[in-house]
Amino acid sequence: MYRSHSCGELNATHINKEVTLAGWVQKSRDKGFIIWVDLRDRYGITQLIFDEERTPATIMEKAKSLGREFVIQVTGTVIERESKSTKLATGAIEVLVSQLEILNEAITPPFTIEDETDGGEDIRMKYRYLDIRRNPVKDSLIFRHKVTMEVRKYLSDQEFIEVETPYLIKSTPEGARDFVVPSRMNEGQFYALPQSPQTFKQLLMVGGMDKYFQIVKCFRDEDLRADRQPEFTQIDCEMAFVEQEDILNIFEGLTRHLLKEVNGVEVEKFPRMLYDDAMRLYGNDKPDIRFGMEFAELNAVTQHKDFGVFNSAELVVGIAVPRGNSYTRKEIDNIIKWVKRPQVGALGMIYCRVNEDGTFKSSVDKFYDQEDLAKWVAATNAKPGDLVCVLSGETNKVRTQMSALRMELAERLGLRDPKVFAPLWVIDFPLLELDEETGHYHAMHHPFTSPKPGQLELLDTKPGEVKANAYDLVLNGNEIGGGSIRIHDKATQATMLKHLGFSEDEARKQFGFLMDAFEYGAPPHGGLAFGLDRLVAILGGQETIRDFIAFPKNNSGRDVMIDAPAFIDDVQLTELSLKLDIKE
Amino acid sequence: MYRSHSCGELNATHINKEVTLAGWVQKSRDKGFIIWVDLRDRYGITQLIFDEERTPATIMEKAKSLGREFVIQVTGTVIERESKSTKLATGAIEVLVSQLEILNEAITPPFTIEDETDGGEDIRMKYRYLDIRRNPVKDSLIFRHKVTMEVRKYLSDQEFIEVETPYLIKSTPEGARDFVVPSRMNEGQFYALPQSPQTFKQLLMVGGMDKYFQIVKCFRDEDLRADRQPEFTQIDCEMAFVEQEDILNIFEGLTRHLLKEVNGVEVEKFPRMLYDDAMRLYGNDKPDIRFGMEFAELNAVTQHKDFGVFNSAELVVGIAVPRGNSYTRKEIDNIIKWVKRPQVGALGMIYCRVNEDGTFKSSVDKFYDQEDLAKWVAATNAKPGDLVCVLSGETNKVRTQMSALRMELAERLGLRDPKVFAPLWVIDFPLLELDEETGHYHAMHHPFTSPKPGQLELLDTKPGEVKANAYDLVLNGNEIGGGSIRIHDKATQATMLKHLGFSEDEARKQFGFLMDAFEYGAPPHGGLAFGLDRLVAILGGQETIRDFIAFPKNNSGRDVMIDAPAFIDDVQLTELSLKLDIKE
């Protein structure tokens, strides 16, 4: 062992002890006759002192040569520090060095290894091994470990069994694009990497495993939106002989356990909201309920005057912005500009100031009198000093726009406190979703989700109205988990696949093994999957997942540190019976 | 919830309680006026009773229709059983059923769902979800979960951090063949699936993570020998600022913890054996030391007579087979036939019976007298009643042959007791290994293994003699783990790669990121990886890993249940800029 103690553990009780430490030179201050060196390892920082009067001259000389990030080993005596630091756990002591060995030198790092670094994202990714030395990244990875340990402990205590499912599986054309893996031993054939272990966990239920979980990598070959990774980690779970209520209780318990053990936060029973209500009140199936600003539908109180914009709109919707009346005209114009950006896409915004004296001043005073505006204010629950913002248009679009505005204003108002945790179940999702481009319905969760009892018949007549026992767990405006009760009989699964546009032959080819399995005694079952990367980031008080992943990829799916992907040998291609077919 | 209790928990204390159970019909016995049904779930079996006098007629009728593996839900009263069973945890009671619901019917399974099934390997794999219902498979998967939970608990308690490393990495021509993954976004380029997270865990050490572990899937596109899988699971570990001794102690501690927690077995400090000794005494770098039968090198006592076979041999080696003198001539001929099989490849075998009266009878009495034979007997430590078996030839070959013979005879003699655990460290492995076909040396562990201090110079002159701080953990004749102290400076790594035949350019292209990292302050480090599949199998008292893997692949790398790999759409190929290039 290169050390007797870590750099985080020495304190006043160790004074006069001889110790050996090893670590990295965080920084050194050379006063000529005295040199102080901050020695760093994963556990903390310990101050070393080299002193002309007490340190051998050769050691003193060597100490002068130490650069940042040199790896050294020192032996010395723990002594009381003259000017104590309360910031460091080791701040009461320093180590008077008698022996010094340089284990490895270091060239100057391309960015500073400090909590606030001067390195940009790109350079930090290229030298990720240096970035990991910084506390914000190192602590995030340790935090992630703590979360996964608690997840496993909780689920295992609840009799869940972690079962590893295969990574080399079969490609399915349904859903997102698969990464594929050519098989050398089966010429011309390919494995696919799993987008989730969905069918395997269902087969484990058919197999009687009863309660399954797995923390598992999943893969999607999608064009990467911001903060998405081609490989990501799921906490994947499934239970047999359960109803939706049982699943919600177990995973609410898990989430509460994590909040308590990892964040020290106790949370009340999670509220539940119908999908339809979430869309109506927040324009969004993952509402952030840390703050109010709920939508008020204003059709009834706006469509009785000559204002054509509102009269022709499918939906007129308003929110009350707390203290928004303090916005200047220019600030309001900026908000209007913001909602008209192509990313949001509103055609305009109507507003109404709620003055402290009980009067109202709107941008459409020409059409609406104080009595009209009083109704807007009442409906949006606006208080004196607030601002009512109103958007209108086609229902789905205007909801999405208003949701974006609500989140933006909340952000500006500091209402999205990362230390506050507001979990929420959104339940009763629709079974199907209309693809506006193709006019076809596809599965909102996945093709294995069961329609609510008695609603199967509606599939033929009103497919958009069929609801499922499908649910999402939302935390602070982020979907952190989702799941459903599954289909567990062959006939229903076949009907479902038919409605999703699979021919009988395709259904057989893709999911024959699952439908066969349903014939051999499949229990009722359901489950849920958490997105671990996001869950950890949110518990860690962050919105971006990248620092909670040791070696993330960039937006082109590249690992810039190892420079992957890369071209491979022709020999390898030939062995795989493949040829490149590069477009000109 | 479909049940108030599991099928494994009811006992005499529950008598007179009303309960609801759900599960599978294991079997039913219909006596006409009474029907007994064994109801099974993951947790056990509970006997249900339907009785003409006490059960409603409609329920009685329904009960008659139940077939094997039907999924049912029953409500009833726990009553005392007349003929109690001590084999079942629930054997004191039965449930008198008042309500019965058939949750799902089942067609007849293709093999019996019993501990001893009538299903062959192929059919069991095709219907693996039914195979998993059988106790031997189900219990193996639960056992695996228990092992991994204990591994994580132990390592986490020792301050190891589990860090997920990427699955989409870069192909390296070194070592076994990679599975590759075409990148759509980076035309013509490929990711590779990791054979191990070796370089990433080293980078985590450079990054100051100090103690890393991960239970992680790894991939090798090899032609599959028996009991190998293209995807397999490793317990992967790395530590900084440690010497070999520290690593051996930690992982000996882990193994001892597992044996204690999982098997209830306390094991003494693990013995250590030099690689050279293992080869000399057991002809094998993973000796099974549950039994003796150590090799005796007999050159000195055999090469002084006119027996040309021995005289011309590089090595003459013998073992004493306990009680082997009881073999008939025919049995010995069979053993000789066994060593001459092409899989073993010996040209013949000489033997010497050790009679109870102290005389010897060998197959080469023509050349050797009693005095000569007495020396063989003394060298092999044979006892009266034993049989001395002798092989000769080229050292490496004859050691391999003798090792195979030793294991085979031990198996036949019942000396390989799966309930006995004999762990062993084999240390001081050679750094390089001669590839007899090409005449080149390659890395015995991998190119990142450090030569022993001071032996770097030998690389030029006697590469085969350079030893490394490399070690394997052997359990009952199986290598369950292996590792080494790594190179942590750029110059040594460059020298090593040169000696392995990498040009400077290739080295840079493949491992440039790692060698760069070594320049920024890399600590001394080392680690180890356990093969989880095999570890679990051996702890579970089995030699084959297949039942400890939920969904294994067959020897052609196929998953016969889901029928993967499979052909993919031309559209997918085109998106990946690939064309099939099938040989005629």
Side-chain angles (χ1 to χ4, degrees), chain B residues 22 38 46-47 72 82 118 133 147-148 215 218 270 309 386 398 408 464 474 476 485 505 568:
Chain B
D38 280 355
T46 299
Q47 181 165 295
I72 64 172
E82 262 182 52
D118 56 354
R133 290 186 192 163
V147 171
T148 58
I215 299 184
C218 300
F270 297 1
V309 173
D386 289 357
V398 78
E408 172 67 18
V474 174
N476 295 2
I485 298 295
D505 194 48
I568 61 174

Side-chain angles (χ1 to χ4, degrees), chain A residues 3 24 42-43 104 133 144 159 164 167 189-191 206 210 231 233 520-522 557 565-566 574 577 581, chain B residues 3 24 42-43 104 133 144 159 164 167 189-191 206 210 231 233 521-522 557 565-566 574 577 581 583:
Chain A
R3 61 194 170 201
W24 286 263
R42 184 183 110 195
Y43 312 93
N104 218 339
R133 289 186 193 163
R144 182 181 180 116
E159 297 195 290
E164 294 178 54
Y167 278 78
Q189 299 185 44
F190 292 75
Y191 302 100
V206 177
D210 205 69
E231 51 177 303
T233 307
Y520 289 102
T574 307
S577 307
D581 181 30
Chain B
R3 61 192 170 201
W24 286 263
R42 186 183 109 196
Y43 311 93
N104 217 340
R133 290 186 192 163
R144 183 182 179 115
E159 298 195 292
E164 294 178 55
Y167 278 78
Q189 299 184 40
F190 292 75
Y191 302 99
V206 177
D210 206 69
E231 50 177 303
T233 307
T574 307
S577 306
D581 182 30
K583 295 117 201 161

Side-chain angles (χ1 to χ4, degrees), chain B residues 233-246:
Chain B
T233 307
Q234 264 184 209
I235 308 170
D236 193 49
C237 306
E238 198 79 4
M239 303 168 76
F241 299 114
V242 290
E243 285 147 349
Q244 171 171 307
E245 188 63 26
D246 307 308

Side-chain angles (χ1 to χ4, degrees), chain A residues 150-162 209-213 237-239 242 246-247 249-255 257, chain B residues 1 3 42-43 145 149:
Chain A
E150 290 297 335
V151 169
R152 287 194 162 97
K153 184 175 179 310
Y154 181 87
L155 291 176
S156 191
D157 285 350
Q158 303 279 337
E159 297 195 290
F160 282 78
I161 303 295
E162 185 162 19
M209 199 43 71
D210 205 69
K211 294 178 179 177
Y212 145 91
F213 84 103
C237 305
E238 198 79 6
M239 303 168 76
V242 290
D246 307 308
I247 299 177
N249 286 336
I250 283 276
F251 294 101
E252 184 166 325
L254 169 62
T255 311
H257 175 81
Chain B
M1 189 65 83
R3 61 192 170 201
R42 186 183 109 196
Y43 311 93
H145 167 66
M149 284 299 291

Side-chain angles (χ1 to χ4, degrees), chain B residues 368-379:
Chain B
Y368 299 97
D369 58 24
Q370 292 285 308
E371 200 180 325
D372 292 323
L373 297 176
K375 288 178 184 159
W376 300 15
V377 168

Side-chain angles (χ1 to χ4, degrees), chain B residues 528-560:
Chain B
L528 178 141
F530 281 98
L532 178 67
D533 304 304
R534 186 144 323 269
L535 173 65
V536 170
I538 295 169
L539 293 177
Q542 305 285 326
E543 291 268 318
T544 58
I545 62 177
R546 212 164 269 196
D547 278 353
F548 294 85
I549 299 172
F551 300 102
K553 293 191 172 51
N554 73 9
N555 285 343
S556 315
R558 293 198 71 82
D559 182 326
V560 294

Side-chain angles (χ1 to χ4, degrees), chain B residues 275-456:
Chain B
Y275 170 88
D276 287 346
D277 288 341
M279 296 308 288
R280 187 171 51 78
L281 294 172
Y282 300 94
N284 198 310
D285 61 4
K286 43 178 196 285
D288 189 339
I289 58 166
R290 280 176 294 184
F291 56 95
M293 297 171 71
E294 290 178 3
F295 292 11
E297 303 200 339
L298 301 177
N299 293 39
V301 295
T302 57
Q303 295 184 332
H304 60 296
K305 290 294 173 71
D306 281 345
F307 188 47
V309 173
F310 283 176
N311 290 347
S312 64
E314 190 181 358
L315 176 66
V316 181
V317 65
I319 56 172
V321 183
R323 301 178 304 285
N325 195 17
S326 65
Y327 290 140
T328 60
R329 175 63 205 255
K330 197 174 159 198
E331 282 171 318
I332 294 180
D333 282 347
N334 271 332
I335 294 170
I336 294 174
K337 219 178 270 171
W338 190 88
V339 298
K340 289 166 88 172
R341 296 188 320 155
Q343 298 94 318
V344 183
L347 294 173
M349 185 185 91
I350 304 302
Y351 63 90
C352 172
R353 293 176 177 275
V354 187
N355 296 320
E356 297 287 350
D357 64 4
T359 62
F360 314 116
K361 176 82 192 77
S362 84
S363 56
V364 282
D365 279 355
K366 178 152 62 155
F367 298 103
Y368 299 97
D369 58 24
Q370 292 285 308
E371 200 180 325
D372 292 323
L373 297 176
K375 288 178 184 159
W376 300 15
V377 168
T380 56
N381 205 18
K383 303 276 168 299
D386 289 357
L387 179 76
V388 176
C389 297
V390 184
L391 300 177
S392 63
E394 191 268 309
T395 300
N396 289 341
K397 278 192 190 146
V398 78
R399 280 179 171 169
T400 303
Q401 292 158 1
M402 186 57 107
S403 172
L405 176 61
R406 175 176 175 270
M407 294 297 271
E408 172 67 18
L409 292 177
E411 189 69 48
R412 292 188 194 180
L413 290 165
L415 298 175
R416 307 193 65 201
D417 181 351
K419 302 267 179 244
V420 173
F421 295 99
L424 168 74
W425 286 111
V426 177
I427 61 173
D428 288 6
F429 271 73
L431 183 68
L432 303 174
E433 192 174 38
L434 185 65
D435 184 329
E436 308 232 329
E437 269 179 46
T438 63
H440 290 302
Y441 281 93
H442 60 80
M444 190 139 183
H445 271 68
H446 51 57
F448 314 110
T449 298
S450 177
K452 275 192 180 264
Q455 301 208 349
L456 191 61

